[in-house]
Amino acid sequence: MHDATQPVPALPSRPSIGHGEDCPCQEYVLNTRSLRTVSSGADIWHRIANWQKAGYTIVIATDRPTQVQKALETQGGEESHILLQKGNLGGGFVWDAQKFVLITDAELFENRRLRLPPRRFNEGVPITSIMDLQPGDYVVHIYHGVGVFKGLTTLEREGVKREYLLIEYAHPDRIFVPVDQLDRIQKYIAPDDRPPEIKRLSSTAWARTVAKARQKAKEVAEELVRLYALREKATRPPYGEDTPWQAEMEAMFPYIETEGQLRAIQEVKADLESPHPMDRLLIGDVGFGKTEVAIRAAFKAIMAERQVALLCPTTILAYQHYQTFKERFEPFGAQVALLSRLITPAEQKRILHGLKTGAIDMVIGTHRLLSADVQFKNLGLVIIDEEQRFGVMQKERFKKLRGTVDVLSMSATPIPRTLYMALTEIRDMSMITDPPPGRLPIRTVVAPYTDWMVREAILRELQRSGQVFYVVPRIQGITHVAERLQKLAPHARICVAHGQMPPQEVESIVLAFYHHEYDVLVSTTIIENGLDMPNVNTLIVEGAERFGLGQLYQLRGRVGRSDRQAYAYFLFRTGRLTEKAEERLQALREFSHLGSGFALALRDLEIRGAGNLLGEEQHGAMRSVGLELYQAMLRDAIRRLRRGETSWNLEAPVQEDLPDASKLPVHAYIPHDYIADVAQRLGYYKRIAGSRTREELKSLVRELRDRYGELPVPLKNLIRLMEQRILAYGLGVQSICVEDKRLILKFKPDRKLKARWQLAMQKAVPGIRTQPDEITAPLGKHPLETLMTVLGKLKTIIENDSHAPGG
């Protein structure tokens, strides 16, 4: 791609007509065609591809070269024919005679947004909990139970340097865990704030605790698998493929779909086109585009002549959804109605009649939709927004509604990735984890309260015609807060809403604020989580020390919903901070940089999400072994049940380990002068220990080299040792030991060595001794190379034998 313009082709000219002979003017006849006929984004990109193939020179004049450059990169293709120039022109044209095209922002942009081909975005990699470890944190060792992490320490044993995690149990017990066994360690996360009980290492209580938790996980898995089997038996006529109207409606979406969104849309459509009713849970943070997935599913149902019901927890959210769906569906003749307290009785009667006769295609409403008088002619799809906000009895009504009806449930409460992986095997779930492109990070300020700071924050937002959320921790004195703000910003229109007001009053105030009748909304945490208020871009939280991290994270998510810079002020009163509040504020300071505090807040929410999905009766099991280990147990139980197993050893390890090689005398660690940051080192140790293929290790090596430079010898040894442990595991090796300067490989009972393999090994490696369950060899000066030689020879012998006739 070039940025400098090449010479434009010479223009054919002729003498001008209608001017005096002395006039030097020339008139050029170019026979060009205007590009104004290009109506859709997809069409312009299709044309660009065709012009490129035909060898046209393409000049793009744009005020936004960076955006257009990225779009061209996603398109691929031959770039030598495209010239990108900064400039603002009224419209483009094609000049076929000279194979020349000029394209401008008028063709590329619509409503100030780039008409892009579907673009793929990388999903954000979730922060692994092990990287958040701080000395003093509780951890779970899958074999020894819950202890306290005291830090990383380097030890030298028999002249060999290694790095270890020090974990303390009830006095005086403690263990040093080699970093290459970090996959056996998990951060302890519980459903509540109570600290876990720390026991002695010699105690048999941990084995009993694990068995109890595995039994609970097995019961949950059995119920989930039973429900899955019932759903698989139910059938209904499948929906057809997308209609041309569907493509047109989807082209009206003014943003670029994220990768997560595109995947969720494909999964939902595949469900609708199958003969089984859909029951899918869609999880994504506020503003990550769940509504667009629901819009496309609803339109597909309407095109299949089925009715749609969208259930919302609040009237305001229902009203917002009604505005969005109506705007998108009305151009195609689809009838959308709102059923809530905001609607007059006469209008409600008309809507109920329309649903019964089929005149109304889609209804959006609150719990009102669950009333007995709401009847449908042909209900096809039920969409439930913020499903966790509905009670058990209301969910029972949904189940009766279901039968063979398709159900799409949406939730903004994130769940842990590991739980998601476990449940996807028996529950249809889609997860949108990537934020929309162009979303600016929220600038977060953590500071002591001052009138000056509050006044400045409010006035700055009002100067750009924006609005402010002002959140207080308690209802008591909320009117005094509003009066104080009125004095600080006399021109601001201020309203108050809190949980002790009648619901109708809260709704009318928030709705008036939504319509910009007020500038500042002073409230407790009742501001509706799902509300989309793109004009509110300043959040001020007074008494921030009184809120939990999860609450603050959710509050913060209520601003920054547009392409404007958003601000969040977490203000605290000095002089009355408890130790816990001090810790939370420290986490918030990190949180303002999207650091580990952010991960902690997200984890706080994830735990709640896990509780919502699995039910409160599982909290005991989760708290006894920690959330991560419980999820691993659940995943293991689901897999076993789906394979047809009905019982298994509940005291056996949940995961099968690679053979331990910590006794091999090799310097294997990440030197401090290579990666100084402890959290980063822990993160890489965890990833190395968790690798199970050579490809994963190679990818890690490339990443390390790219970020930190050439690998030092101890780190190369650590990677090679891991590689050999993976190979040994594949060959059936149970343990790698060293005794009397000899390397000893012990094999699993079901993977004994054949006699001919033993003979071949004795010939191949000098000084080797073999038995059906063991190989020993002289350790030599370079133990790691000895291990590599022995395992390499054994692999070759077994592979050659399996390829031989009768092998």
Side-chain angles (χ1 to χ4, degrees), residues 375-389:
Q375 294 175 353
F376 296 85
K377 184 185 180 187
N378 182 24
L379 179 63
L381 173 65
V382 174
I383 302 167
I384 305 163
D385 198 5
E386 296 297 317
E387 188 189 27
Q388 75 280 3
R389 298 276 306 275

Side-chain angles (χ1 to χ4, degrees), residues 463-490:
Q463 274 171 355
R464 57 178 188 174
S465 302
Q467 292 167 282
V468 179
F469 280 140
Y470 195 99
V471 179
V472 293
R474 49 167 63 155
I475 295 168
Q476 227 177 336
I478 195 168
T479 49
H480 297 308
V481 173
E483 286 163 11
R484 171 165 32 96
L485 296 182
Q486 196 69 75
K487 285 176 187 168
L488 294 174

Side-chain angles (χ1 to χ4, degrees), residues 683-694:
Y684 278 109
Y685 278 137
K686 175 82 172 176
R687 287 172 67 189
I688 291 166
S691 297
R692 290 296 178 266
T693 65
R694 287 188 68 184

Side-chain angles (χ1 to χ4, degrees), residues 45-85:
W45 291 105
H46 181 66
R47 288 191 181 200
I48 287 172
N50 287 343
W51 286 322
Q52 281 179 300
K53 281 177 196 163
Y56 279 60
T57 295
I58 302 167
V59 174
I60 298 179
T62 174
D63 273 341
R64 307 187 207 176
T66 310
Q67 267 183 285
V68 175
Q69 173 98 33
K70 280 185 180 171
L72 288 164
E73 284 166 8
T74 64
Q75 279 296 89
E78 179 57 52
E79 294 183 347
S80 59
H81 296 299
I82 297 182
L83 312 169
L84 199 59
Q85 287 287 24

Side-chain angles (χ1 to χ4, degrees), residues 705-720:
R705 198 176 282 135
D706 189 47
R707 286 186 70 176
Y708 302 100
E710 197 52 49
L711 276 64
V713 172
L715 178 50
K716 282 182 182 172
N717 288 344
L718 182 66
I719 299 279
R720 282 183 191 144

Side-chain angles (χ1 to χ4, degrees), residues 13 15 29 35 61 85 119 148 153 197 232 287 293 303 312 348 406 414 423 456 460 589 640 674 676 683 709 738 744:
S13 64
V29 180
L35 285 185
Q85 287 287 24
R119 180 173 168 201
V148 181
T153 181
E197 189 184 349
E232 285 290 283
V293 180
M303 289 295 100
C312 305
Q348 286 195 33
D406 293 283
L423 293 178
E456 284 296 303
R460 184 175 56 201
R589 287 189 184 97
R640 288 175 184 273
Y674 185 68
V738 174
I744 302 167

